Amino acid sequence: MHPIEVSSTPGITEGAADDAVSIRPPAISDGTRLWEIARDTAVLDLNSTYAYTLWCADFTETSCVAERDGEVVGFITGYIPPSRPDTIFIWQVAVDGTHRGLGIAGRMLNGLLDRLSPQGISRLETTITPSNKASDQLFRSVARARYGTLSVADHFDSSDISPRSDPHGHEPERIYTITPV
Ligand SMILES: CC(C)(COP(=O)(O)OP(=O)(O)OC[C@H]1O[C@@H](n2cnc3c(N)ncnc32)[C@H](O)[C@@H]1OP(=O)(O)O)[C@@H](O)C(=O)NCCC(=O)NCCS
């Protein structure tokens, strides 16, 4: 792995928190709503309804949803990699299109880290495609808010994650790691 960038500028706030939004662990009944939100992003790899429901059943400690007026408007699916028990790997994060720019994704990520850090889980990893500027900015913001060090490195080549039948191919994925100071 070849790090290509390192940054650790502290001092950002968590953004304009919307008090009408609550963050909680997911429930099994949320699974299909997560699927809808992921589908509607048009940028995330869409998994099956079964996969999202399974996540809501078995990975509640490392995942969360954002709820407003009784409707789930955002989610994070995450897990602890077996070889890195101090790390939360964020698989997908998404906010419904009508609720973006309100600080909801930042609140979900910081809330998850706050929930897990007493258990010694304070490193964060995720992978992001080079074209996903919103996601890049989101994780930079979280790193600054937590005074963490952010490193970015190549991770999955396009050939690793593209089916041979796909003429366009999947974008490569870079791994972002936030390490607490
Ligand atoms: C990425 C995503 C989850 C951000 O959700 P959000 O709730 O709008 O993000 P927030 O309001 O919490 O913003 C967090 C930070 O990211 C920045 N940001 C968010 N969207 C941005 C955009 N489109 N362009 C530039 N910066 C952006 C915000 O300015 C903020 O930075 P700041 O704290 O320095 O001000 C949302 O755009 C989304 O669901 N995208 C589609 C799915 C996706 O790409 N997921 C990530 C890959 S798994």
Side-chain angles (χ1 to χ4, degrees):
M1 191 158 66
H2 306 290
I4 57 177
E5 189 176 349
V6 175
S7 147
S8 63
T9 310
I12 203 85
T13 63
E14 284 192 24
D18 182 342
D19 290 339
V21 173
S22 58
I23 314 290
R24 61 166 173 80
I28 287 174
S29 56
D30 295 322
T32 54
R33 177 65 186 139
L34 268 56
W35 179 87
E36 288 177 349
I37 294 172
R39 176 199 62 190
D40 292 347
T41 66
V43 296
L44 291 183
D45 290 336
L46 185 62
N47 304 294
S48 67
T49 53
Y50 185 91
Y52 288 103
T53 302
L54 186 71
W55 218 263
C56 291
D58 283 348
F59 293 87
T60 52
E61 292 294 315
T62 49
S63 303
C64 67
V65 298
E67 192 173 51
R68 186 175 192 195
D69 297 330
E71 183 180 46
V72 171
V73 297
F75 73 87
I76 289 175
T77 48
Y79 69 95
I80 299 166
S83 61
R84 300 185 296 288
D86 63 340
T87 298
I88 168 87
F89 185 93
I90 304 297
W91 184 12
Q92 289 188 326
V93 49
V95 172
D96 182 78
T98 58
H99 290 84
R100 291 188 190 154
L102 300 174
I104 293 176
R107 277 181 62 192
M108 288 195 294
L109 277 169
N110 281 303
L112 203 50
L113 285 165
D114 289 343
R115 197 203 300 170
L116 293 170
S117 62
Q119 301 168 40
I121 301 160
S122 52
R123 267 181 98 253
L124 180 151
E125 293 178 353
T126 195
T127 70
I128 301 176
T129 55
S131 68
N132 195 333
K133 303 303 176 203
S135 192
D136 172 90
Q137 288 300 309
L138 167 62
F139 285 92
R140 288 179 190 282
S141 170
V142 169
R144 288 194 298 270
R146 305 189 77 82
Y147 297 84
T149 299
L150 174 73
S151 69
V152 184
D154 294 335
H155 195 55
F156 295 132
D157 289 334
S158 177
S159 60
D160 293 328
I161 47 180
S162 301
R164 280 189 291 178
S165 57
D166 182 352
H168 305 296
H170 194 295
E171 268 194 273
E173 295 268 355
R174 298 193 295 190
I175 190 161
Y176 286 55
T177 304
I178 299 175
T179 311
V181 173

